[in-house]
Each structure stands twice: as structure tokens, then as C-alpha cells.
Amino acid sequence: MKLNFNKYQGAGNDFIMINNRESVYEFDSKSVQFLCDRRFGIGADGLILLENSEQSQVDFKMKYYNADGYESTMCGNGGRCIVAFAKKLGLIKESCVFEAIDGLHEAYFEKDLVLLKMSDVGEIKQTEDFFYLNTGSPHHIVFVDDISEIDIKKKGADIRYSSAYESQNGTNVNFIQKKGNQLLIRTYERGVEDETLACGTGVTATAIASFINYENLRKPIEVKAVGGDLSVDFNMKNTQTFEDIWLKGPAEFVFKGEIEC
Ligand SMILES: N[C@@H](CCC[C@H](N)C(=O)O)C(=O)O
């Protein structure tokens, strides 16, 4: 079949966007793997279907697949990119509400940037070596002195496949370096099984863990990913509960095309 697609990126985290409001397309894991393949397909960290939601007062539904071909949990950058895609399709104007795997999300534009409301965070594990929390997707966070020295693919995979995360289908892994008031991040993404240039749920988890870890961080928290800058604002109810969490950053159209698949 011939498939029309649009390609978007948010801070270098890139996605194939497909308008599936007519429910024409159904993808098995092999087709998603092929489309996301950077040599044989279009190339992307993930594939996103924009579908109709059955809920009232909701503009659309987001279905997210990782590049490994399997549907996964929430994608923050993908969420911001699908909002830009919905605007390009003329479905929304300056704001919207959409349905994703972890519930409803509000979003709006501030000039070219997209602000996305993330799910509340209700449980945070803190040890001497790491933080672990779920911001729609699971994130393990390690603070290091110099992120440029880390072998992200190797160290990330060691943690992602460790017995601690076996029963929950693994985790994403983030390495953070604090430089003044700025946080530098590099992320190993589950389902891509490699470093990606940015991860929205990872940046959100990092901002929250860093706010607990360091006493003097000012909000909104600025996070510098390899592919671009994002910022996170939130309300801390107590050390275990964060709400009103907003992820802000770029979401850009790259190109569109047609592919036989
Ligand atoms: N790129 C993402 C996270 C996507 C989900 C992740 N790979 C997983 O399977 O947990 C983001 O921007 O949040």
C-alpha cells in the first residue's frame, strides 16, 4: 500500500506522523520497524498515529510506537510534535486536549514552541545512586560529573536490561550533569535501544529529580539535550507528588512524502 506521512522532530527526537482519522492504516511491528529504519525506510525514533478519540471534548488521540515496532508508553516530544501536526492538518488552532496512553493532555502554542501538560507524578524512588520515576514513561536517572565521558549505549543498556527492571519491560535511562543553573542530559531510550537526541518524558523526570536533588534550582528548569533545549515547570505538592507539570520546547515539521509499504 501507499502511505502518506509527515516527518516531525522535537529537539532532534524524530517521528513519523500518520493521519489515521479514517482508520485506514493498521501496522504490525515489522512495518513500523521498516518505516523507522534509517537506511531502508524513512527513519525515526518512533511512529505516531493521529486518530479520532471517542471521548467528548477531546480533539484527537495519539498512538505511539517505538522504532522497535511496538506500541509503548507516553512520548513527551512526540506529544508536542503531534500537536504541531494537528495544527498543520487544521484540526486545532492555538490549544487542544488530546488522548494518549496515560490519559488526557492539554497543550498550547507559545510562538513556535509547544507546551504540553504531562501526567502528575505520584511516586519517586530515591537511592544514593539514582532516582526512578514515571512521567508517563519510566525513567532511571543518574547524576554524573561529565556526561561527555559516558558510553550511553553500553551503560544505558546495562541498566535498562538489569534484573531490577525486568518485570516492567525495562526503563529509559538518563545521565545528567549540572553546570551552573543548567542541566545537561543524555538519554538511552527503551524501544530505540540507543541514545536519542532528546526525550521529553526523560527531561520532565530529570527536572523533577534535580529539583529534589539540588536545593537551589530555579523554575522553570532548563534542560539542555543533545538535540536542543527544553524547559519544565511544575508544582511540588510534597517530595513524592508533583502536579501541573508543563514541558516546553520546539516541535518542527521536517518533510512529507509517500512510501510503499
Ligand atoms: N521519546 C520519548 C519517550 C518515548 C517512550 C520511550 N521510548 C519508552 O518506550 O518508554 C519522549 O520524548 O518522551
Side-chain angles (χ1 to χ4, degrees):
M1 80 176 161
K2 274 197 186 0
L3 172 71
N4 288 307
F5 67 89
N6 282 250
K7 176 87 188 281
Y8 276 76
Q9 60 88 10
N13 200 191
D14 60 344
F15 309 98
I16 298 162
M17 293 284 169
I18 294 163
N19 177 359
N20 198 30
R21 280 176 305 150
E22 310 287 321
S23 301
V24 178
Y25 304 115
E26 260 189 52
F27 296 100
D28 57 17
S29 53
K30 273 208 149 124
S31 324
V32 177
Q33 279 165 23
F34 160 69
L35 292 166
C36 291
D37 190 291
R38 296 195 185 276
R39 291 183 177 84
F40 294 100
I42 302 162
D45 294 328
L47 179 143
I48 297 175
L49 300 180
L50 187 151
E51 301 190 332
N52 288 325
S53 171
E54 282 168 13
Q55 300 192 42
S56 62
Q57 320 257 296
V58 171
D59 294 292
F60 58 87
K61 179 174 163 184
M62 163 181 172
K63 199 166 179 186
Y64 173 77
Y65 296 84
N66 278 320
D68 67 359
Y70 296 98
E71 193 178 345
S72 194
T73 46
M74 180 57 184
C75 178
N77 287 327
R80 292 184 312 92
C81 286
I82 201 172
V83 171
F85 182 45
K87 189 177 182 188
K88 184 167 184 268
L89 292 175
L91 298 179
I92 61 162
K93 290 200 168 97
E94 290 307 311
S95 64
C96 66
V97 177
F98 71 90
E99 180 187 345
I101 194 157
D102 61 339
L104 297 185
H105 291 267
E106 292 169 49
Y108 65 92
F109 290 87
E110 209 177 79
K111 296 190 181 147
D112 287 347
L113 302 180
V114 179
L115 286 95
L116 173 67
K117 189 168 186 203
M118 307 297 286
S119 294
D120 292 349
V121 169
E123 206 181 314
I124 299 170
K125 182 172 180 185
Q126 181 177 359
T127 75
E128 270 192 11
D129 303 321
F130 68 89
F131 281 75
Y132 173 78
L133 61 155
N134 194 311
T135 51
S137 280
H139 285 277
H140 179 107
I141 291 170
V142 190
F143 292 97
V144 298
D145 292 334
D146 184 357
I147 47 169
S148 68
E149 281 188 348
I150 311 278
D151 182 343
I152 304 290
K153 190 163 181 179
K154 158 100 188 45
K155 285 227 158 163
D158 287 350
I159 295 168
R160 182 257 195 266
Y161 288 106
S162 66
S163 55
Y165 296 117
E166 215 176 331
S167 63
Q168 58 163 69
N169 202 20
T171 183
N172 300 283
V173 185
N174 308 272
F175 298 90
I176 318 303
Q177 178 187 344
K178 184 170 181 290
K179 220 176 170 185
N181 200 50
Q182 202 175 44
L183 298 165
L184 312 182
I185 181 172
R186 289 178 70 191
T187 301
Y188 175 97
E189 257 194 62
R190 172 181 80 163
V192 180
E193 307 312 339
D194 206 342
E195 180 174 10
T196 56
L197 297 187
C199 174
T201 49
V203 162
T204 306
T206 293
I208 291 171
S210 305
F211 194 73
I212 298 170
N213 201 39
Y214 302 108
E215 281 164 10
N216 55 353
L217 275 187
R218 284 189 303 273
K219 292 189 294 173
I221 295 182
E222 312 285 337
V223 185
K224 198 172 225 4
V226 179
D229 298 345
L230 294 121
S231 74
V232 184
D233 212 347
F234 49 76
N235 175 34
M236 180 172 114
K237 223 173 155 192
N238 55 58
T239 51
Q240 286 296 307
T241 317
F242 288 72
E243 51 189 25
D244 208 16
I245 306 168
W246 288 87
L247 171 69
K248 176 176 171 177
E252 288 164 16
F253 169 74
V254 187
F255 61 87
K256 65 179 179 179
E258 188 182 82
I259 188 166
E260 192 71 47
C261 66

